[in-house]
Amino acid sequence: MAFLKVSSSLMVVVFLFPTLSLAFPGSGFGWDNGGYFGGGHSGLFPGFYQFSCPQANEIVMSVLEKAIAKDPRMAASLLRLHFHDCFVQGCDASILLDDSAKIASEKRSGPNNNSIRGFEVIDEIKAKLEQACPHTVSCADILALSARGSTILSGGPMWELPLGRKDSRTASLSGSNSNIPPPNSTVQNLITLFKRQGLDEADLVALSGGHTIGVARCVTFKQRLYNQNGNNQPDATLEKTYYHGLKAVCPKTGGDNNLSPLDFASPAKFDNTYFKLVLWGKGLLTSDEVLLTGNVGKTMELVKAYATDEELFFGQFAKSMVKMGNISPLTGSNGEVRKNCRRLN
Ligand code: HEM
Ligand SMILES: *[C@@H]1O[C@H](CO)[C@@H](O)[C@H](O)[C@H]1NC(C)=O
Ligand SMILES: *[C@@H]1O[C@H](CO)[C@@H](O)[C@H](O)[C@H]1NC(C)=O
């Protein structure tokens, strides 16, 4: 139910002319006004800002459109930001807090340091929302709205998004280091870390499809090129031409920050090409490749299914994003609505 089917011609119109969304009254996209249902048991619901800030999504989308036009990678970075927020003490904007006397910032964790980006765009959205609706829209909801908006603006699916998250008064640097899977994970490790968040194998495979956009640093896939199993040999599952291309970008020593697309065939378009590439031995990270070859559970079948049926992938991605977005939210009088996403009130 979370995946709203629209004719593909409408998808194209929205993709090419995102400002047309302003033609829908209210919160930017008409289907967002759909009332108080859709949040499951999370306590969140799509109409949360219907009266207090009906233009919230419209404001988010207008900042996103400009930011992504200027830097197409920004869509990917914002999608990932929501993931790295939700996997650490829930979707509570803990990832946005800077270092301070009370806070050890998650921005310095292994998975985040020199990697995670998009904070300036979130700041800009927050500033505009504080002007329009002071002290109303949480930073955690801004992250969720930005992840959905980035997906839509990249050509991916849309979904009805439960809202009403509050922002945390804490962060967890250690949680950020232990809960976010490393790129050289086994499939069993991926399944375990997702299960810890209440997410199953279908969620794992569909959400990994987020790697249909964006890039990764050489340091995150170097092991595969030069020493995958401690025997100084490359990962045998890497397709040969792709492997040689990657070595040119990512030398054995140095070049750690050189970038390679996660989906080189269509790096800025949200589609199911990622799964086709994984099938062909052209997935970039070990964590992408083991979904096919890890031989645990049903992840291989799911990769094949999403590679052949984009609608199926889009539908599951939408459902899984709602599920991920519902991880342990703070609601009601728990937490606060930060005035500045980088610090506590
Ligand atoms: C399944 C476990 C996952 C692992 C091991 C993983 C790992 C990684 C790594 C290592 C990078 C490159 C970071 C860098 O080099 O700085 C990356 C990028 C990215 N990840 Fe994941 N990821 C996972 C799941 C997800 C999920 C669930 C999403 C979102 C739904 C996601 C979205 C992205 C995006 C969009 C990028 C590109 C970011 C950019 O270009 O700024 N990933 N991921
Ligand atoms: C994060 O990256 C910076 C810049 O490369 C580095 O100096 C710093 O030691 C890193 N911090 C941690 C905690 O690893
Ligand atoms: C994954 O990479 C880390 C950091 O480079 C390394 O310590 C660890 O041994 C690797 N794990 C596997 C399974 O290769």
Side-chain angles (χ1 to χ4, degrees):
M1 77 129 257
F3 176 45
L4 303 180
K5 250 191 164 178
V6 218
S7 75
S8 52
S9 59
L10 176 58
M11 288 278 290
V12 169
V13 167
V14 172
F15 181 52
L16 294 177
F17 305 101
T19 44
L20 279 185
S21 61
L22 301 177
F24 292 105
S27 58
F29 287 95
W31 44 80
D32 217 34
N33 289 336
Y36 288 92
F37 306 99
H41 301 291
S42 63
L44 307 175
F45 54 95
F48 188 82
Y49 297 113
Q50 190 168 26
F51 303 112
S52 59
C53 195
Q55 70 273 48
N57 187 55
E58 205 173 285
I59 291 171
V60 171
M61 292 305 283
S62 71
V63 175
L64 289 183
E65 281 164 22
K66 272 186 291 170
I68 295 168
K70 208 170 89 183
D71 170 14
R73 183 187 169 192
M74 191 50 72
S77 303
L78 292 170
L79 175 58
R80 185 168 185 239
L81 208 46
H82 182 46
F83 162 49
H84 282 206
D85 180 36
C86 292
F87 266 52
V88 182
Q89 58 178 40
C91 310
D92 60 358
S94 56
I95 195 171
L96 299 179
L97 291 170
D98 284 337
D99 270 320
S100 70
K102 284 187 188 155
I103 298 293
S105 178
E106 293 172 17
K107 296 178 185 181
R108 291 187 285 117
S109 75
N112 289 344
N113 198 28
N114 298 320
S115 179
I116 207 92
R117 57 202 287 283
F119 299 109
E120 296 74 16
V121 177
I122 300 297
D123 288 342
E124 191 185 339
I125 293 171
K126 181 61 175 174
K128 290 220 159 77
L129 284 170
E130 284 300 305
Q131 263 181 343
C133 326
H135 202 216
T136 300
V137 182
S138 68
C139 300
D141 279 343
I142 292 173
L143 287 173
L145 286 164
S146 298
R148 180 182 64 165
S150 293
T151 302
I152 294 170
L153 292 174
S154 305
M158 46 204 105
W159 55 91
E160 203 177 32
L161 178 59
L163 295 165
R165 300 166 188 80
K166 294 290 195 294
D167 301 324
S168 70
R169 295 194 179 92
T170 60
S172 177
L173 178 57
S174 62
S176 184
N177 276 315
S178 59
N179 290 346
I180 298 170
N184 62 354
S185 297
T186 61
V187 73
Q188 187 55 64
N189 192 34
L190 294 175
I191 291 171
T192 302
L193 287 173
F194 272 65
K195 199 167 180 190
R196 194 181 284 175
Q197 307 289 346
L199 300 175
D200 60 24
E201 288 179 28
D203 300 315
L204 165 64
V205 177
L207 290 172
S208 293
H211 290 172
T212 178
I213 53 175
V215 298
R217 290 164 303 149
C218 159
V219 69
T220 67
F221 56 87
K222 183 174 278 192
Q223 182 184 345
R224 300 188 74 194
L225 306 180
Y226 303 104
N227 190 16
Q228 177 69 338
N229 299 308
N231 55 0
N232 292 309
Q233 293 301 309
D235 184 336
T237 65
L238 272 170
E239 189 273 336
K240 283 291 168 292
T241 314
Y242 184 57
Y243 161 68
H244 288 295
L246 288 180
K247 283 209 296 185
V249 179
C250 188
K252 186 161 187 176
T253 46
D256 281 3
N257 293 319
N258 295 353
L259 300 176
S260 182
L262 287 152
D263 165 0
F264 70 84
S266 54
K269 177 142 177 48
F270 197 104
D271 54 20
N272 70 336
T273 313
Y274 162 82
F275 294 104
K276 296 181 184 175
L277 292 174
V278 169
L279 275 188
W280 299 333
K282 298 176 181 183
L284 183 60
L285 307 176
T286 296
S287 66
D288 299 319
E289 197 274 324
V290 295
L291 297 175
L292 182 74
T293 59
N295 203 24
V296 180
K298 55 181 185 185
T299 63
M300 179 178 76
E301 283 74 17
L302 289 164
V303 169
K304 289 180 177 169
Y306 300 150
T308 46
D309 188 344
E310 186 170 81
E311 289 272 302
L312 186 72
F313 164 49
F314 278 15
Q316 185 60 51
F317 186 81
K319 264 168 83 174
S320 297
M321 283 296 288
V322 171
K323 217 167 142 184
M324 183 173 84
N326 287 349
I327 297 172
S328 317
L330 297 167
T331 55
S333 57
N334 295 315
E336 62 185 24
V337 175
R338 280 181 220 144
K339 294 191 181 105
N340 177 330
C341 292
R342 294 173 182 268
R343 46 179 183 266
L344 311 182
N345 288 341

